[in-house]
Amino acid sequence: MQQDRTSEWFVPKFGSRNFRISIGILFLPYTSIIISFTVWGSLSGPFSLERLGAICLLYFLALGISAHCLDAVGGKTKPWGILPRKKVGTIGLIALGLACSIGLYYAFLDSPLLIPIGIAEVFLLFAYNLELFGGKFHNNTSVLISWAILPIFAGSAIQTNSISLEAILLCILATFLTYILIITSRKYKELKQSLADSSLTCKKELILKTISFGTVTGTIIFFLLRIFPN
């Protein structure tokens, strides 16, 4: 099934079609939310800026680039039209390889808890985006685990090789926000494709923007409060 998502709010309104797809395929607002969750996990206990930057880069490569590239060419739906499968797939695999390299470096350094977290993320990345096992894992539960829970666990693990109580509590908020995002995004996509009531579409778009910008803004404030506690 082929779809066209180039009219959605997170896709640039300027530039060539290839440029707009290249940016749109990254789903930058939603990717920013996932990266924000890794920051939450990192800031839930003692942290170093180096490791904070590393886990953010890891998730940008793994979910921001790799997962979305594989979804674009490997899923049953084609949200960006017919793309060069080999080229986009290769980009996705290279990004995933770089992400795994970062994770393994810190895992073998002093944070082995990253290994089971990474295995779970990689499994869901392929199972969800390529709709393996008959699409059994292509569901909301997989998204909530991969987008909300595991990023916070990874952020905490790379810092202290443990999952703090604060990180677990933050998972509750992250899961709630992600669930609202999933439901609203799905409805928004349906409305855009059906050319339905524009006022309802705008309302859904406003919710998505509020969650995206609100999460990122809240994360920046959280970060500043941890850096400058007084």
Side-chain angles (χ1 to χ4, degrees), residues 113-215:
L113 187 56
L114 286 173
I115 293 177
I117 295 173
I119 291 173
E121 282 285 29
V122 171
F123 172 80
L124 290 174
L125 186 151
F126 284 106
Y128 179 88
N129 292 292
L130 299 183
E131 300 186 39
L132 303 179
F133 309 104
K136 185 176 181 179
F137 293 92
H138 194 82
N139 52 48
N140 292 348
T141 300
S142 294
V143 176
L144 292 174
I145 294 172
S146 181
W147 284 22
I149 297 174
L150 291 179
I152 291 181
F153 282 2
S156 180
I158 197 173
Q159 298 288 353
T160 62
N161 193 41
S162 64
I163 307 298
S164 66
L165 175 60
E166 291 83 357
I168 294 174
L169 294 176
L170 286 169
C171 283
I172 298 174
L173 176 58
T175 300
F176 172 74
L177 289 173
T178 303
Y179 181 75
I180 298 300
L181 185 73
I182 294 170
I183 300 302
T184 306
S185 177
R186 184 172 296 132
K187 184 62 178 178
Y188 171 76
K189 181 174 65 175
E190 293 172 354
L191 290 170
K192 291 289 288 186
Q193 292 172 355
S194 65
L195 302 177
D197 180 15
S198 59
S199 63
L200 182 57
T201 303
C202 288
K203 289 180 181 178
K204 298 299 181 182
E205 183 174 308
L206 179 60
I207 294 173
L208 293 173
K209 289 180 178 179
T210 300
I211 294 174
S212 300
F213 296 130
T215 300

Side-chain angles (χ1 to χ4, degrees), residues 61-83:
L61 291 168
L63 270 69
I65 298 179
S66 181
H68 290 140
C69 283
L70 294 179
D71 179 63
V73 298
K76 294 179 181 178
T77 60
K78 303 299 179 187
W80 304 103
I82 305 302
L83 301 177

Side-chain angles (χ1 to χ4, degrees), residues 17-30:
R17 178 176 174 81
N18 285 343
F19 169 77
R20 296 175 65 226
I21 289 177
S22 297
I23 300 300
I25 202 174
L26 299 177
F27 291 86
L28 288 177
Y30 308 150

